[in-house]
Amino acid sequence: MDITKDQIYTFKINSGEEMVTKVLEVGDTHYLIEKPVSIAPGQQGMQMIPSAFTMELEKPVRLNNSAVTMVFETNPEVQASYKTATSGIVQPPEKKILKG
Protein backbone atom coordinates (compact mmCIF):
# COMPACT_ATOMS: atom_id res chain seq x y z
CA MET A 1 0.00 0.00 0.00
CA ASP A 2 1.33 3.40 -0.94
CA ILE A 3 0.84 6.15 1.61
CA THR A 4 -0.39 9.33 -0.04
CA LYS A 5 0.22 12.74 1.47
CA ASP A 6 -2.80 14.76 2.64
CA GLN A 7 -4.76 11.56 3.37
CA ILE A 8 -5.95 10.21 6.72
CA TYR A 9 -4.46 6.90 7.93
CA THR A 10 -4.45 4.76 11.03
CA PHE A 11 -1.05 3.83 12.47
CA LYS A 12 -0.56 0.96 14.90
CA ILE A 13 2.35 1.98 17.13
CA ASN A 14 4.85 -0.38 18.84
CA SER A 15 3.06 0.24 22.15
CA GLY A 16 -0.17 -1.20 20.69
CA GLU A 17 -1.83 2.20 20.46
CA GLU A 18 -3.85 3.09 17.36
CA MET A 19 -3.33 6.62 16.07
CA VAL A 20 -5.48 8.34 13.44
CA THR A 21 -3.80 11.24 11.68
CA LYS A 22 -3.37 13.10 8.41
CA VAL A 23 -0.04 12.45 6.65
CA LEU A 24 1.65 15.60 5.36
CA GLU A 25 4.89 14.03 4.14
CA VAL A 26 6.42 10.58 3.75
CA GLY A 27 10.17 10.50 4.37
CA ASP A 28 12.70 7.65 4.27
CA THR A 29 12.80 7.40 8.07
CA HIS A 30 9.66 9.19 9.21
CA TYR A 31 6.18 10.48 8.51
CA LEU A 32 5.30 14.13 9.02
CA ILE A 33 1.79 14.07 10.48
CA GLU A 34 -0.87 16.53 11.59
CA LYS A 35 -3.17 16.50 14.63
CA PRO A 36 -2.66 12.88 15.74
CA VAL A 37 -5.39 11.39 17.91
CA SER A 38 -5.34 8.08 19.73
CA ILE A 39 -8.25 5.68 19.88
CA ALA A 40 -9.33 4.79 23.41
CA PRO A 41 -12.28 2.81 24.78
CA GLY A 42 -14.85 4.91 26.59
CA GLN A 43 -18.25 4.50 28.22
CA GLN A 44 -19.98 5.20 24.90
CA GLY A 45 -17.65 3.20 22.67
CA MET A 46 -14.38 4.23 21.07
CA GLN A 47 -13.23 7.82 21.59
CA MET A 48 -10.53 10.01 20.08
CA ILE A 49 -8.13 11.72 22.45
CA PRO A 50 -5.03 13.81 21.67
CA SER A 51 -1.98 11.59 21.24
CA ALA A 52 0.09 14.09 23.26
CA PHE A 53 -1.49 16.58 25.62
CA THR A 54 1.43 19.04 25.73
CA MET A 55 2.11 19.46 22.00
CA GLU A 56 1.29 22.48 19.86
CA LEU A 57 -1.83 21.20 18.10
CA GLU A 58 -1.36 23.33 15.00
CA LYS A 59 2.25 22.25 14.34
CA PRO A 60 3.25 19.13 12.37
CA VAL A 61 4.67 16.15 14.26
CA ARG A 62 7.40 13.72 13.19
CA LEU A 63 6.54 10.02 13.60
CA ASN A 64 9.55 7.72 13.15
CA ASN A 65 9.00 4.69 10.91
CA SER A 66 10.68 2.50 13.54
CA ALA A 67 7.80 3.23 15.97
CA VAL A 68 5.16 1.92 13.53
CA THR A 69 4.11 -1.73 13.25
CA MET A 70 1.19 -1.28 10.81
CA VAL A 71 -0.36 1.41 8.63
CA PHE A 72 -3.83 0.98 7.19
CA GLU A 73 -6.55 2.98 5.51
CA THR A 74 -8.99 4.49 7.97
CA ASN A 75 -12.63 3.59 7.38
CA PRO A 76 -14.91 6.44 6.21
CA GLU A 77 -16.89 6.64 9.48
CA VAL A 78 -13.70 7.10 11.54
CA GLN A 79 -12.37 9.61 8.97
CA ALA A 80 -15.52 11.71 9.40
CA SER A 81 -15.17 11.53 13.20
CA TYR A 82 -11.50 12.54 12.92
CA LYS A 83 -12.35 15.55 10.74
CA THR A 84 -15.03 16.64 13.23
CA ALA A 85 -12.72 16.14 16.22
CA THR A 86 -9.79 18.04 14.70
CA SER A 87 -11.62 20.84 12.89
CA GLY A 88 -14.91 21.25 14.75
CA ILE A 89 -16.72 21.00 11.41
CA VAL A 90 -19.46 18.39 11.35
CA GLN A 91 -19.62 16.43 8.10
CA PRO A 92 -23.19 16.01 6.81
CA PRO A 93 -24.26 12.42 6.19
CA GLU A 94 -23.78 11.13 2.67
CA LYS A 95 -26.94 11.47 0.58
CA LYS A 96 -28.27 8.31 -0.90
CA ILE A 97 -30.69 7.95 -3.77
CA LEU A 98 -33.31 5.28 -3.26
CA LYS A 99 -34.50 3.49 -6.35
CA GLY A 100 -37.69 1.50 -6.42
Side-chain angles (χ1 to χ4, degrees), residues 20-83:
V20 178
T21 188
K22 182 177 181 180
V23 174
L24 301 177
E25 175 186 304
V26 179
D28 290 336
T29 60
H30 69 280
Y31 302 99
L32 193 63
I33 60 174
E34 174 180 73
K35 300 178 182 177
V37 296
S38 296
I39 305 299
Q43 291 179 342
Q44 299 173 336
M46 300 306 260
Q47 297 179 335
M48 294 183 180
I49 59 171
S51 293
F53 292 101
T54 59
M55 65 183 243
E56 291 282 340
L57 294 176
E58 299 304 318
K59 291 187 178 179
V61 178
R62 181 184 169 123
L63 175 62
N64 292 328
N65 291 357
S66 62
V68 178
T69 57
M70 290 188 287
V71 181
F72 41 95
E73 294 179 7
T74 306
N75 74 50
E77 184 178 308
V78 173
Q79 283 189 25
S81 294
Y82 172 80
K83 289 175 183 175

